[in-house]
Amino acid sequence: VATLRLESVDLQSSRNNKEHHTQEMGVKRLTVRRGQPFYLRLSFSRPFQSQNDHITFVAETGPKPSELLGTRATFFLTRVQPRNVWSASDFTIDSNSLQVSLFTPANAVIGHYTLKIEISQGQGHSVTYPLGTFILLFNPWSPEDDVYLPSEILLQEYIMRDYGFVYKGHERFVTSWPWNYGQFEEDIIDICFEILNKSLYYLKNPAKDCSQRNDVVYVCRVVSAMINSNDDNGVLQGNWGEDYSKGVSPLEWNGSVAILQQWSARGGQPVKYGQCWVFASVMCTVMRCLGVPTRVVSNFRSAHNVDRNLTIDTYYDRNAEMLSTQKRDKIWNFHVWNECWMIRKDLPPGYNGWQVLDPTPQQTSSGLFCCGPASVKAIREGDVHLAYDTPFVYAEVNADEVIWLLGDGQAQEILAHNTSSIGKEISTKMVGSDQRQSITSSYKYPEGSPEERAVFMKASRKMLGPQRASLPFLDLLESGGLRDQPAQLQLHLARIPEWGQDLQLLLHIQRVPDSTHPRGPIRLVVRFCAQALLHGGGTQKPFWRHTVRMNLDFGKETQWPLLLPYSNYRNKLTDEKLIRVSGIAEVEETGRSMLVLKDICLEPPHLSIEVSERAEVGKALRVHVTLTNTLMVALSSCTMVLEGSGLINGQIAKDLGTLVAGHTLQIQLDLYPTKAGPRQLQVLISSNEVKEIKGYKDIFVTVAGAP
């Protein structure tokens, strides 16, 4: 019988990629998911004879492939597919060609593989032929895979959707930011594996690192460390200052693709700059691309509790100025992290499902700046002993806030002890909708409920041990440090605050009975101060002060108008456009103080985007962008950036010059969509005065020539 020679191979990537939900990455290359068969057609020099011709398949990944490490697999042609091991089966012979089904186990190592066959006849020598390469990914469609998610609706959202929203701002004025994840753009899959190959684990022991890439917990931790650049040549360099002149302001990114492409093109130099929402959005792109269901989550008033005592202290002086402290503890206005969906075989039963992963470099875990996976269920139940980094995430959503009055460098009295001011409005994008979904109840029981306090005590005992009773603020609380107050104070806005306008506030005061002054009038001095509120929860120097003196009779209510002029805050705010107005009312009779706070978020001008006709692949789509400058000042050096996977290849940038106060800017341009299905166009207009005027438009693109 003539020797059997391989003459050609068809990897059938178009059919396979479609069946494996990877066709969005393109069909030029074979990209498949583990735990699911894919098909090849081999053409030989003569018909294949199963009794004489022996074919051995060899699949290899990583630098030193080894069967012991799980990075090399050899398997033979069999009639029946064995369970959850590498196999070639279900074959049919058609003249000189062989159609065969290859199966990868649901716990196989993910990565770039080479595939070859060895052909031998009888006892003769074997000849090796390369078949080509393929990429193997996690498979959330497979019940055997640790990332299995049994809902097609959720899979469409958390794997297939390539755009979404990040929630920012403040618990009382949550703003939604459109973001282009773009996980299916052409080179993103290669960049994801490049990220894994630049990690410290890989550089230290490449073969061992690759062998652990079958484990989603391991891969998540590596990615979490690699998105920031604190220990390694990670993707993004953080910057929480105000000087972004050496890079791009974190506010000016529209999506992940430009960041990942720049990192790769410059040989792994960290991209400048990121803050939490940029880190988390880029991690979402990488994890969805690798096949792990992932979402982006925002936590408003998020504690960063370095000493793990479940308490964050903030300080004000008698003039109501919020003071900076030497302590590293802080309360972010909001903080953004990821949740990835997986089975936790490393934990006791009951902790599967969503897990927190946080790529923002806040503190180290096992020596590297990474965080998670921490089970959301473990956080809700206070099971802070479970891996990984659960105490840190628990404190982010549950710490108490204690506000102190500082005088002569000493803490003089407690102005407030808030048990429910941290971990508010925990939010993510709603499935299949542009709306925001609150998921606070997944992280904790209702504030103040018996379950919530019981969980807090359980977590406290585990985190603080028996020494908890000796904390100084608890002594003060026990001694009645927070006695009842003779008046209630509230600050209200008299109208919607807009950037460029004077701000009008009302101080509302009501005299209430208390133990020291049961019935008599009281004299109050209220000192006010306004400061720019930073994303990290700190403030800048005051730009407005005001003092009010009043007598308040028993049972009386009064309102006092306050004006904060635009000229005071005009050049004083950060890009976040947040103001904290604080007031400290001193009761002259007793010298005791009361605190009143109001955070104000200023509205930027509104952007509108209209699309004139139906969108179709390859056909011009006219887009109209309109911006009216509602401010009292001109917007100078305006630039516009458009982005949207499947609509635009990369980005479109335009310089728009100056937009005079009260005037309207109208821009028209044509896009040529490249992919069908639901798409999102993101538009960012930036100026010297307002860094972030964002808008988006959902666009459904039909297939070319569809009726």
Side-chain angles (χ1 to χ4, degrees):
V1 179
T3 306
L4 185 74
R5 291 191 315 275
L6 179 72
E7 296 199 330
S8 67
V9 186
D10 180 3
L11 297 177
Q12 302 189 358
S13 45
S14 184
R15 171 197 173 177
N16 288 320
N17 289 11
K18 193 169 183 196
E19 289 180 2
H20 286 250
H21 306 93
T22 62
Q23 76 274 26
E24 285 270 317
M25 296 180 188
V27 291
K28 293 195 187 103
R29 296 194 289 180
L30 180 59
T31 307
V32 292
R33 299 185 186 278
R34 61 189 197 173
Q36 184 177 336
F38 61 97
Y39 301 92
L40 312 178
R41 183 176 287 277
L42 308 178
S43 297
F44 297 108
S45 54
R46 61 165 172 77
F48 172 75
Q49 298 169 357
S50 54
Q51 60 276 33
N52 297 326
D53 300 322
H54 301 294
I55 296 183
T56 306
F57 287 83
V58 181
E60 296 181 325
T61 187
K64 290 181 186 167
S66 124
E67 293 191 20
L68 189 65
L69 290 173
T71 48
R72 181 176 197 269
T74 55
F75 46 101
F76 309 101
L77 210 48
T78 55
R79 281 272 170 219
V80 185
Q81 181 194 313
R83 288 216 23 96
N84 214 23
V85 291
W86 287 85
S87 62
S89 62
D90 197 19
F91 61 90
T92 53
I93 302 164
D94 175 17
S95 71
N96 286 10
S97 71
L98 177 72
Q99 174 88 7
V100 62
S101 159
L102 294 200
F103 182 82
T104 60
N107 60 351
V109 166
I110 62 161
H112 286 84
Y113 277 81
T114 57
L115 188 62
K116 54 194 179 189
I117 53 169
E118 294 166 358
I119 302 176
S120 62
Q121 282 154 302
Q123 298 302 308
H125 71 286
S126 67
V127 181
T128 301
Y129 294 92
L131 297 184
T133 60
F134 66 94
I135 297 170
L136 190 64
L137 301 175
F138 291 110
N139 191 354
W141 280 268
S142 163
E144 310 296 316
D145 200 309
D146 285 352
V147 299
Y148 175 54
L149 181 57
S151 157
E152 188 58 36
I153 294 170
L154 297 185
L155 287 163
Q156 287 303 315
E157 184 69 55
Y158 298 131
I159 292 285
M160 301 305 291
R161 178 132 10 246
D162 59 6
Y163 62 84
F165 296 94
V166 180
Y167 297 100
K168 299 180 55 192
H170 188 279
E171 57 170 309
R172 285 198 292 280
F173 346 90
V174 176
T175 54
S176 68
W177 262 51
W179 192 272
N180 184 40
Y181 296 121
Q183 67 268 31
F184 303 125
E185 297 277 308
E186 212 154 297
D187 45 359
I188 295 300
I189 183 70
D190 298 312
I191 296 172
C192 291
F193 284 108
E194 203 183 321
I195 288 169
L196 296 180
N197 291 348
K198 283 216 163 46
S199 84
L200 295 181
Y201 295 106
Y202 181 88
L203 298 175
K204 188 174 163 191
N205 188 336
K208 184 184 177 201
D209 172 74
C210 282
S211 76
Q212 289 177 278
R213 292 183 189 174
N214 64 330
D215 177 5
V216 62
V217 171
Y218 178 80
V219 172
C220 280
R221 274 183 75 71
V222 171
V223 173
S224 163
M226 278 302 295
I227 297 296
N228 68 70
S229 58
N230 283 39
D231 314 287
D232 42 47
N233 281 344
V235 176
L236 280 156
Q237 184 175 322
N239 183 344
W240 288 269
E242 288 298 311
D243 178 12
Y244 306 121
S245 55
K246 293 193 171 76
V248 174
S249 156
L251 293 163
E252 291 184 34
W253 298 111
N254 267 343
S256 310
V257 178
I259 293 168
L260 290 165
Q261 287 175 338
Q262 182 186 318
W263 175 80
S264 174
R266 295 185 184 174
Q269 283 298 307
V271 175
K272 298 173 177 174
Y273 292 104
Q275 287 184 14
C276 62
W277 68 92
V278 188
F279 290 114
S281 299
V282 172
M283 179 153 183
C284 182
T285 297
V286 172
M287 297 318 297
R288 283 186 187 179
C289 187
L290 294 175
V292 181
T294 304
R295 60 189 186 182
V296 173
V297 172
S298 298
N299 177 38
F300 289 87
R301 301 210 85 238
S302 186
H304 181 181
N305 186 204
V306 178
D307 51 15
R308 287 173 56 151
N309 65 352
L310 286 175
T311 305
I312 309 285
D313 298 309
T314 47
Y315 300 92
Y316 288 82
D317 67 13
R318 294 211 173 276
N319 296 316
E321 180 179 341
M322 185 180 174
L323 305 169
S324 58
T325 80
Q326 298 309 303
K327 294 174 97 172
R328 285 170 53 212
D329 278 14
K330 61 177 143 196
I331 303 169
W332 298 91
N333 295 332
F334 67 92
H335 181 54
V336 184
W337 57 66
N338 300 97
E339 285 178 3
C340 292
W341 179 273
M342 67 189 76
I343 288 170
R344 289 297 300 272
K345 289 180 176 155
D346 57 325
L347 299 183
Y351 299 97
N352 299 334
W354 291 115
Q355 314 287 320
V356 171
L357 284 130
D358 188 349
T360 299
Q362 292 194 88
Q363 64 184 45
T364 57
S365 171
S366 309
L368 291 181
F369 277 94
C370 67
C371 175
S375 160
V376 173
K377 180 82 186 295
I379 295 158
R380 187 174 197 250
E381 300 301 333
D383 294 324
V384 292
H385 58 290
L386 297 172
Y388 289 83
D389 310 305
T390 312
F392 183 76
V393 185
Y394 181 84
E396 287 183 302
V397 297
N398 283 302
D400 283 4
E401 178 188 21
V402 179
I403 303 175
W404 299 83
L405 180 67
L406 214 63
D408 307 323
Q410 295 289 313
Q412 295 191 332
E413 62 178 294
I414 287 184
L415 296 167
H417 171 215
N418 300 326
T419 59
S420 61
S421 65
I422 283 169
K424 311 294 281 184
E425 291 297 337
I426 304 174
S427 301
T428 192
K429 177 188 176 299
M430 197 176 274
V431 174
S433 152
D434 289 353
Q435 299 302 303
R436 176 173 71 93
Q437 180 186 358
S438 172
I439 53 170
T440 312
S441 60
S442 326
Y443 280 83
K444 48 188 176 179
Y445 289 96
E447 292 287 4
S449 67
E451 296 93 339
E452 186 256 347
R453 283 289 102 184
V455 165
F456 188 81
M457 293 316 294
K458 170 177 157 186
S460 303
R461 280 194 293 276
K462 284 178 181 158
M463 286 170 71
L464 304 170
Q467 306 85 5
R468 186 172 205 283
S470 64
L471 289 173
F473 93 85
L474 280 180
D475 297 343
L476 204 66
L477 287 177
E478 299 303 316
S479 64
L482 284 175
R483 283 198 297 275
D484 51 352
Q485 305 286 19
Q488 287 176 347
L489 287 79
Q490 287 177 314
L491 272 171
H492 300 289
L493 280 162
R495 65 172 190 202
I496 292 172
E498 287 192 51
W499 200 86
Q501 311 276 340
D502 294 347
L503 306 179
Q504 296 175 5
L505 295 120
L506 278 177
L507 172 66
H508 183 98
I509 305 182
Q510 184 175 11
R511 172 80 167 93
V512 289
D514 67 303
S515 47
T516 10
H517 298 92
R519 297 262 163 211
I522 54 170
R523 286 195 303 278
L524 291 178
V525 181
V526 194
R527 297 180 180 88
F528 291 100
C529 155
Q531 297 166 274
L533 186 57
L534 307 175
H535 169 50
T539 50
Q540 293 186 335
K541 283 284 169 212
F543 52 74
W544 174 81
R545 292 186 188 276
H546 188 71
T547 304
V548 171
R549 295 172 187 276
M550 63 177 72
N551 293 339
L552 199 59
D553 286 334
F554 180 73
K556 283 282 169 32
E557 283 185 47
T558 184
Q559 290 199 346
W560 199 284
L562 301 167
L563 185 73
L564 203 171
Y566 170 59
S567 54
N568 279 69
Y569 71 79
R570 178 175 180 173
N571 299 319
K572 299 292 192 295
L573 298 190
T574 66
D575 292 340
E576 299 290 332
K577 301 281 181 276
L578 275 171
I579 296 172
R580 170 158 294 174
V581 178
S582 36
I584 289 192
E586 194 176 321
V587 183
E588 287 195 349
E589 286 77 3
T590 61
R592 294 294 306 269
S593 298
M594 297 175 286
L595 174 72
V596 62
L597 296 175
K598 182 74 178 172
D599 291 345
I600 301 169
C601 182
L602 297 168
E603 288 280 320
H606 181 67
L607 186 69
S608 88
I609 305 160
E610 293 304 325
V611 176
S612 50
E613 66 274 309
R614 198 178 77 153
E616 190 180 305
V617 170
K619 196 174 153 197
L621 178 68
R622 176 64 53 92
V623 175
H624 305 264
V625 180
T626 310
L627 173 68
T628 301
N629 182 359
T630 50
L631 309 188
M632 295 163 75
V633 292
L635 297 175
S636 57
S637 305
C638 295
T639 57
M640 177 174 74
V641 177
L642 291 89
E643 191 168 320
S645 285
L647 296 170
I648 296 169
N649 197 354
Q651 294 178 325
I652 296 173
K654 281 185 179 306
D655 284 327
L656 306 175
T658 297
L659 180 57
V660 178
H663 282 222
T664 297
L665 191 66
Q666 288 186 319
I667 302 138
Q668 290 186 12
L669 67 162
D670 287 343
L671 306 180
Y672 293 86
T674 56
K675 288 181 181 178
R679 304 286 157 201
Q680 188 184 75
L681 176 66
Q682 292 97 11
V683 180
L684 168 74
I685 293 183
S686 196
S687 68
N688 291 337
E689 290 69 26
V690 183
K691 278 286 177 288
E692 39 167 326
I693 304 169
K694 276 212 166 196
Y696 74 93
K697 184 77 177 172
D698 289 338
I699 298 170
F700 190 86
V701 182
T702 59
V703 182

